[in-house]
Amino acid sequence: MDSGVQSVMTIGPSTTLTLSVAKWALVVLYLTRQGLSTELVPVQFGWTTSFVLEEKVVCETAALVAGTLTNVAMQRTLELCVEVMSLSAMSSILIINICLSPIILYVNNAGVRLVGGSSSSEGRVEVFYRGSWGTVCDDSWSISDARVVCRQLGFSSAIQSKSSAFFGQGSGQIWLDNVACSGSETRLEDCSHSSWGTHNCNHREDAGVICADIRLVGGSSLNEGRVEVYQSGRWGTVCDDHWGKTDADVVCRQLGYPQAVSSSGSAAFGQGSGPILFDNVDCSGSESRLQNCPYDAHTADCSHSEDAGATCQTVRLVNGTSSQSGRVEIFYNGQWGTVCDDLWSMNDANVVCRQLGLGSASAYKTSGYYGTGTGPVWLSRLSCSGSETKLESCSHSTWGAETCSHEEDAGVNCAAAGCTRLPSPANGA
């Protein structure tokens, strides 16, 4: 058997393994002898190959559960089997039974996939367990759970968690319920959850995620950096030719921020490596993803000294009477949350307004003046000097550590840039 011909298998967006034809054959033959169908492999695992053994057996597909063949031990097992086959007079099938038995453990372990989305980075979450795919119930489903799914699939993070069969109802088993990830787990099945197959749900409650297939790298905080895009199994950069704020706005909205503060070029956040995927990006500003903007895939005239960057807005005003007023919300750890009014002052409000490009503040508001928010109360006990460029730079308590209620949500009124602020009472005008 010729074991020198190489094929490339991509498992998830980040793990690429190179297996010889002999190794592909061993996997296929083992799965076949275990009675595990390989007919669904292209749909389930996203790759197909064909080759001919000396026995003239044509194997159309081969598979291991997506995301599980990521450790050295499994790779070495396959390599040893190829060596044994080349040295032994035993039949191939006998050797497969002896030395590839660990594969069944991987076939029975859970993989994860996204189904029903408009791109490979979003969809209904489905897990593979005991030979079949099933869904996840949205009871207690959160952004922490979504982050684990996205990282397991090789994406940088999650943008949103989705519930109520947002990406359509699945069928078959509902494998997991009451999932409660801390967010640090490497696989969804490592999170706390009800026993496999035990639930009180129906498919109207199927959970979903939107993963980030774009990221910011090299910045001093999560909201800024070199723009990198995931495409065809690899991360690559964007050339700064024609790069502008409209393009950066699309990037920031794609990552869950309201808009960009600024765009940058000339590798302002350091030079990337790998491919330069986009050049001459020309977004109209209405696109939901940078990948939907017109761009040139021929990037030979670019180098990494021209890598594009973006700085995204982390603060927004919600439920105000105009775009210049509202409840202060801040984006942190992939989620919007509010600011507690403990120690909230005009200095703090001035920083918010300048950060938004709205000049100085005309008033600060307390006690949920612009309505009560939802989600975490991210910041409390802020103490800005007034000279800071962003609210996160002010002295404050630990993120999310305070016990404030949303009845204490802080707000501001801004005097738009170019306007003069009139004197106001201590707690608003």
Side-chain angles (χ1 to χ4, degrees):
M1 178 182 296
D2 179 9
S3 62
V5 180
Q6 299 291 306
S7 298
V8 175
M9 174 176 65
T10 298
I11 303 178
S14 65
T15 305
T16 301
L17 302 175
T18 302
L19 303 180
S20 70
V21 165
K23 295 173 188 175
W24 292 96
L26 287 170
V27 174
V28 170
L29 292 176
Y30 182 79
L31 292 176
T32 302
R33 283 188 59 79
Q34 290 295 324
L36 297 169
S37 172
T38 60
E39 293 179 0
L40 297 179
V41 166
V43 175
Q44 292 179 351
F45 306 112
W47 53 267
T48 304
T49 190
S50 63
F51 46 84
V52 181
L53 306 182
E54 286 183 355
E55 295 89 346
K56 307 300 182 185
V57 177
V58 177
C59 298
E60 293 294 332
T61 56
L64 288 175
V65 175
T68 58
L69 186 57
T70 57
N71 62 47
V72 174
M74 194 67 238
Q75 174 75 351
R76 184 57 182 155
T77 298
L78 292 174
E79 292 171 350
L80 287 172
C81 286
V82 173
E83 294 171 9
V84 170
M85 288 191 70
S86 66
L87 298 174
S88 176
M90 290 189 294
S91 71
S92 299
I93 297 300
L94 180 58
I95 294 173
I96 290 167
N97 282 334
I98 294 172
C99 72
L100 282 192
S101 57
I103 288 182
I104 194 65
L105 299 176
Y106 284 83
V107 171
N108 279 340
N109 281 344
V112 64
R113 68 180 182 183
L114 302 181
V115 180
S118 60
S119 70
S120 61
S121 61
E122 64 178 28
R124 180 176 64 251
V125 177
E126 297 193 353
V127 292
F128 189 79
Y129 182 70
R130 292 192 173 178
S132 65
W133 288 99
T135 62
V136 177
C137 183
D138 64 9
D139 292 347
S140 302
W141 189 249
S142 70
I143 190 67
S144 294
D145 310 318
R147 289 192 192 102
V148 173
V149 169
C150 292
R151 284 201 308 272
Q152 184 174 350
L153 289 169
F155 296 101
S156 56
S157 186
I159 297 174
Q160 292 181 27
S161 59
K162 293 293 185 179
S163 57
S164 303
F166 183 88
F167 293 104
Q169 296 184 31
S171 59
Q173 291 278 1
I174 298 175
W175 278 130
L176 293 178
D177 190 15
N178 297 316
V179 176
C181 301
S182 68
S184 62
E185 298 87 352
T186 57
R187 303 185 305 168
L188 189 64
E189 57 266 31
D190 295 334
C191 301
S192 172
H193 58 77
S194 302
S195 299
W196 287 92
T198 301
H199 62 86
N200 59 352
C201 306
N202 58 55
H203 284 297
R204 292 192 299 275
E205 301 171 80
D206 285 344
V209 299
I210 300 176
C211 300
D213 54 0
I214 195 165
R215 64 187 183 186
L216 300 178
V217 180
S220 61
S221 59
L222 295 176
N223 67 304
E224 63 179 17
R226 181 176 62 252
V227 176
E228 294 192 353
V229 179
Y230 180 80
Q231 188 180 78
S232 302
R234 58 187 180 174
W235 287 99
T237 62
V238 176
C239 186
D240 64 8
D241 292 344
H242 300 154
W243 184 254
K245 185 175 181 298
T246 301
D247 310 311
D249 281 339
V250 174
V251 169
C252 291
R253 285 200 306 273
Q254 188 172 346
L255 288 169
Y257 299 98
Q259 62 183 32
V261 176
S262 62
S263 61
S264 58
S266 303
F269 294 102
Q271 296 186 26
S273 59
I276 301 172
L277 297 176
F278 292 7
D279 189 17
N280 298 317
V281 176
D282 187 20
C283 299
S284 68
S286 63
E287 297 87 353
S288 59
R289 304 170 67 241
L290 189 69
Q291 294 89 330
N292 295 339
C293 299
Y295 67 89
D296 190 348
H298 301 289
T299 60
D301 64 333
C302 296
S303 70
H304 283 299
S305 63
E306 301 171 80
D307 285 344
T311 299
C312 299
Q313 188 182 99
T314 55
V315 172
R316 67 183 181 185
L317 302 181
V318 179
N319 206 37
T321 55
S322 72
S323 61
Q324 300 166 23
S325 64
R327 180 176 62 249
V328 177
E329 295 193 350
I330 190 164
F331 193 81
Y332 177 73
N333 205 21
Q335 189 174 5
W336 286 99
T338 62
V339 176
C340 181
D341 63 10
D342 291 352
L343 305 183
W344 187 246
S345 71
M346 186 61 77
N347 280 347
D348 309 321
N350 277 327
V351 172
V352 170
C353 293
R354 281 202 310 274
Q355 186 173 350
L356 291 170
L358 296 175
S360 58
S362 60
Y364 70 95
K365 300 292 184 179
T366 61
S367 304
Y369 182 89
Y370 286 111
T372 56
T374 58
V377 179
W378 279 133
L379 293 179
S380 181
R381 299 186 177 277
L382 278 149
S383 181
C384 301
S385 68
S387 62
E388 297 87 352
T389 58
K390 54 185 180 180
L391 197 63
E392 304 94 302
S393 300
C394 300
S395 172
H396 58 77
S397 59
T398 303
W399 287 91
E402 287 296 321
T403 57
C404 296
S405 73
H406 285 297
E407 299 296 327
E408 301 171 81
D409 285 344
V412 299
N413 290 352
C414 297
C419 297
T420 301
R421 178 176 62 86
L422 297 176
S424 60
N427 190 30

